[in-house]
Amino acid sequence: MPSDLLQRTARAAPAAPRTAPKRRTRVFALAEARWAAAALVLFLIALPLQLTGAPTWTWGPLYALAYVTGGWEPAWAGLTALREKTLDVDLLMIVAAIGAAAIGQVMDGALLIVIFATSGALEALATARTQDAVRGLLDLAPTTATRLAGDGGEETVSTEDLAVGDIVLVRPGERVGADGQVLEGASEVDQASITGEPLPVAKETGDEVFAGTLNGTGALRIRVERDTSDSVIARIVAMVEEASETKAPTQLFIEKVEQRYSLAMVAATLAVFLIPLALGADLTGSLLRAMTFMIVASPCAVVLATMPPLLSAIANAGRHGVLIKSAVVMERLGQVDAVALDKTGTLTEGTPRVTDIRPVPVEGRGLDEDALLATAAAAERPSEHPLARAVVDAARTRGLAVAGTRDFTSTPGVGVTATVDGHTVSVGAPARLLDGNGINSARVATVAADLEDGGRTAVVVLRDGAPVGVLGIADRLRPDAAATVAALTRQTGRTPMLVTGDNPRAAARLAAETGISGDDVHAGLLPHDKVRAVQRLETEGRKVLVIGDGVNDAPALAAAHTGIAMGRAGSDLALETADAVIVRDELATIPKVIALSRTARRLVVQNLVIAAVFISGLVIWDLAGHLPLPLGVLGHEGSTVIVGLNGLSLLRDAAWTRAARDAQ
């Protein structure tokens, strides 16, 4: 596509709205809210009729309808659970309301139904709004895109029909329709909806863009790199939905205790009813006290104490580019007290560049720089390792022809081997490929040592088993690496450990730049060596967080208490193995998400304390004195709502801002 088309579209394109429409569930779109509203209206009509002395036939049916409209759903849910031999608190509430009506407390029973139904509606609304916060990301992605044909023509197609390799045109003010790479054009793209970055990011040829982000004043020609279903937005939604289906250990413990507690509560309710009755108390008073006890002792608030804070934290982290795979992971992140960091692609940008090409003659003959680089690039081309991509990119930058390969194999931590133009070519770490025998091996080892002393990573090239040269590759430290190391040190109480397959000199130099002590640097490690390093920490009782990006990091990610993968540079295996993914590879989000997890854990404890205080206080009041049924209902349901809203407070952006402050 000629660049003048980009200029024409930059002038002609209409501006798009700055913000996408928000996905927000309407209150009365929920069946729970409609039934609760109906019960409330019926109750409010019946109550004044009863209080003004109207005949029973005028307000009695209204109360009955309030019982039915507000209570049929929880009653059905309770009976369904009972068929599965599970005692549900919903059923206990309905039994209490019917019991109150049976002793003439029709208004009190109806009030219980109304408050219970309203509480259920609020919980349903809170859950829907939590899902809205994540699913709303889908509204950011446009439904159509402008696809360019081979002859330069344009066609408007559904974004769902875009395939990898398609070329799309994004005009000024439009939203990007798919994850891809900029082929032509320059602009500033607002990525706040995906990565949380407050300012637009300059994009030019070769840069990555995400579906749903907002283009600025320039036109961009983009090649689609991912299917719509695999875009960053879709992955955020899918992973958070998957996380919402998991249960944290605290939640599982509560559910295990809940059944025993409910059975004990039924037994205690019978005792509260029968013992006073046996001692001569009147039937109505004993039954009313027992019904009140059943209500205030129900563990509704306890059951709701755990998941809302954790799921809200997951949704908030997802909006800021951190994908947490489960509630278990969100709870575990707050327990971390040791960190192990990979080097290449994690503390560094993961986009290393070839800085030195050092051919070494073999028996008076050898390869020149271009031939050495082309040979290494041919062997490395099938590999996904960042160093391999650097070698291939360097060859392409020089305009070298890269030959095809056969019999490609890759050994994590060692290197690659392939057949190139009939020769067996190996590219990898000097310590793994050089056997130390022969004059040429000694020369290559000396060159590699010189490069490593200069802070570069040395890569040896062998052809038919003989060393033919060394490549020097340098990677840049991420701008936020030192600050992240300092923040993690403050959070865990110890300096993070550096675990890398790179050479000790390069590792030591990077450690000094980031503030990692020499004793915590472990270099020249194979994948199983990284696992051992993590396991040594765990045997000391540490809960280790491993942060990495490559195939060689996957075993350590799996072995750790918690693993986080870098999303952009990360290999597919690392992304699958890790418990969480940093979408934009911004290290600074890791201390923030740890702080957010700790806040969520604190809120879980707060909620449990609130629930325990309300339950114990109301139970003592009912047993030691006379707790009016309406007041007991109000206290019980009020505590449930307080606990739910307290957990949902982590949905707000202010929670992420506070986590950022706590991480500093």
Side-chain angles (χ1 to χ4, degrees):
M1 173 60 59
S3 58
D4 60 83
L5 175 59
L6 296 178
Q7 296 171 358
R8 283 202 310 275
T9 56
R11 292 192 297 268
R18 288 287 299 173
T19 57
K22 290 187 177 181
R23 186 189 294 257
R24 189 174 179 84
T25 300
R26 295 176 180 270
V27 175
F28 289 106
L30 299 172
E32 295 91 341
R34 294 195 296 270
W35 289 116
L40 177 61
V41 170
L42 291 166
F43 178 82
L44 292 177
I45 295 174
L47 181 61
L49 291 175
Q50 182 189 16
L51 296 178
T52 55
T56 304
W57 63 266
T58 60
W59 49 265
L62 294 175
Y63 277 138
L65 287 173
Y67 275 75
V68 172
T69 54
W72 80 267
E73 279 194 322
W76 181 258
L79 290 173
T80 301
L82 196 61
R83 282 201 299 269
E84 299 174 358
K85 298 181 180 180
T86 300
L87 188 59
D88 195 288
V89 292
D90 290 356
L91 185 59
L92 298 180
M93 292 297 101
I94 300 302
V95 169
I98 295 174
I103 59 174
Q105 304 289 331
V106 179
M107 186 271 288
D108 291 341
L111 179 61
L112 168 58
I113 289 291
V114 169
I115 295 179
F116 188 62
T118 303
S119 174
L122 288 174
E123 291 176 25
L125 181 62
T127 301
R129 292 286 168 83
T130 303
Q131 295 172 346
D132 291 343
V134 179
R135 291 179 177 274
L137 289 171
L138 292 175
D139 291 328
L140 295 171
T143 56
T144 61
T146 302
R147 183 166 61 190
L148 302 180
D151 59 1
E154 300 180 16
E155 58 177 336
T156 301
V157 299
S158 170
T159 51
E160 295 180 353
D161 295 333
L162 292 176
V164 174
D166 284 349
I167 309 300
V168 297
L169 178 66
V170 182
R171 296 181 171 87
E174 291 183 344
R175 290 193 176 271
V176 179
D179 289 3
Q181 186 180 58
V182 177
L183 294 181
E184 187 177 349
S187 184
E188 290 188 341
V189 177
D190 184 353
Q191 300 186 150
S193 58
I194 303 299
T195 66
E197 295 166 285
L199 298 176
V201 179
K203 297 291 183 181
E204 56 187 21
T205 302
D207 289 337
E208 184 181 23
V209 291
F210 301 117
T213 54
L214 184 63
N215 188 24
T217 57
L220 299 174
R221 186 161 62 101
I222 297 168
R223 180 177 62 234
V224 177
E225 299 286 349
R226 296 191 188 97
D227 289 331
T228 304
S229 60
D230 195 38
S231 68
V232 171
I233 288 179
R235 286 165 63 190
I236 290 175
V237 173
M239 293 179 73
V240 175
E241 285 182 337
E242 180 181 344
S244 67
E245 296 174 359
T246 64
K247 296 178 181 179
T250 303
Q251 177 72 9
L252 292 172
F253 173 77
I254 288 173
E255 291 183 357
K256 186 183 297 182
V257 172
E258 179 190 356
Q259 284 302 302
R260 299 174 184 174
Y261 179 89
S262 298
L263 292 172
M265 189 184 71
V266 171
T269 300
L270 292 174
V272 170
F273 170 61
L274 295 175
I275 292 175
L277 196 63
L279 296 176
D282 66 286
L283 175 64
T284 300
S286 297
L287 187 57
L288 185 59
R289 183 187 295 271
M291 292 299 100
T292 305
F293 175 85
M294 178 183 289
I295 293 166
V296 299
S298 294
C300 297
V302 175
V303 173
L304 199 62
T306 303
M307 291 308 288
L310 295 175
L311 293 182
S312 297
I314 289 171
N316 200 335
R319 291 203 310 269
H320 291 88
V322 184
L323 306 185
I324 308 296
K325 293 187 178 180
S326 72
V328 175
V329 176
M330 179 52 76
E331 190 172 29
R332 283 183 174 179
L333 277 168
Q335 302 170 345
V336 167
D337 57 7
V339 178
L341 289 157
D342 175 47
K343 173 182 171 286
T344 304
T346 302
L347 284 174
T348 63
E349 291 182 348
T351 53
R353 295 171 177 81
V354 175
T355 57
D356 299 86
I357 305 173
R358 304 280 185 89
V360 176
V362 180
E363 298 179 353
R365 297 179 301 165
L367 305 177
D368 59 18
E369 289 189 2
D370 286 350
L372 175 62
L373 182 60
T375 299
E380 293 275 28
R381 186 164 60 174
S383 174
E384 61 177 7
H385 194 280
L387 297 183
R389 290 198 291 268
V391 174
V392 175
D393 288 344
R396 288 174 176 168
T397 300
R398 288 195 173 204
L400 303 178
V402 179
T405 61
R406 294 184 293 106
D407 306 325
F408 173 83
T409 59
S410 175
T411 304
V414 178
V416 303
T417 300
T419 301
V420 180
D421 291 336
H423 298 280
T424 300
V425 177
S426 299
V427 183
R432 309 298 176 189
L433 296 185
L434 296 178
D435 57 12
N437 298 322
I439 296 176
N440 216 55
S441 290
R443 290 178 182 174
V444 169
T446 301
V447 173
D450 289 341
L451 292 174
E452 290 172 353
D453 286 340
R456 297 169 178 82
T457 297
V459 174
V460 172
V461 182
L462 275 63
R463 188 171 69 168
D464 295 329
V468 293
V470 186
L471 304 179
I473 301 176
D475 196 0
R476 289 185 297 189
L477 189 68
R478 293 188 187 276
D480 52 357
T484 299
V485 169
L488 291 172
T489 301
R490 287 191 297 271
Q491 286 181 320
T492 62
R494 63 166 293 159
T495 306
M497 178 173 64
L498 180 62
V499 288
T500 177
D502 209 343
N503 69 84
R505 287 181 290 274
R509 180 174 178 177
L510 179 136
E513 293 177 358
T514 56
I516 297 176
S517 63
D519 293 339
D520 291 311
V521 176
H522 302 270
L525 303 183
L526 290 172
H528 63 269
D529 297 322
K530 293 187 177 184
V531 173
R532 288 198 190 102
V534 171
Q535 289 174 340
R536 280 197 299 271
L537 282 177
E538 292 183 335
T539 56
E540 299 173 5
R542 296 280 184 174
K543 292 180 171 59
V544 185
L545 167 65
V546 171
I547 306 168
D549 71 301
V551 172
N552 59 338
D553 298 317
L557 289 169
H561 178 265
T562 311
I564 295 180
M566 310 301 286
R568 287 184 184 173
S571 67
D572 290 342
L573 182 58
L575 296 179
E576 289 296 325
T577 306
D579 300 304
V581 178
I582 307 299
V583 173
R584 64 177 182 268
D585 284 7
E586 185 177 330
L587 281 174
T589 58
I590 296 174
K592 294 176 186 176
V593 79
I594 291 175
L596 186 65
S597 171
R598 292 179 176 178
T599 301
R601 286 167 57 84
R602 285 196 298 270
L603 283 188
V604 169
V605 173
Q606 286 179 15
N607 284 347
L608 292 174
V609 170
I610 291 170
V613 168
F614 268 85
I615 290 174
S616 58
L618 293 172
V619 165
I620 292 172
W621 187 353
D622 184 55
L623 295 178
H626 175 66
L627 175 62
L629 179 61
L631 189 57
V633 171
L634 188 61
H636 174 268
E637 298 301 333
S639 66
T640 303
V641 172
I642 290 172
V643 163
L645 294 179
N646 193 35
L648 293 176
S649 65
L650 289 184
L651 276 176
R652 299 198 303 266
D653 286 334
W656 184 262
T657 303
R658 284 196 302 272
R661 286 199 304 267
D662 293 343
Q664 292 176 353

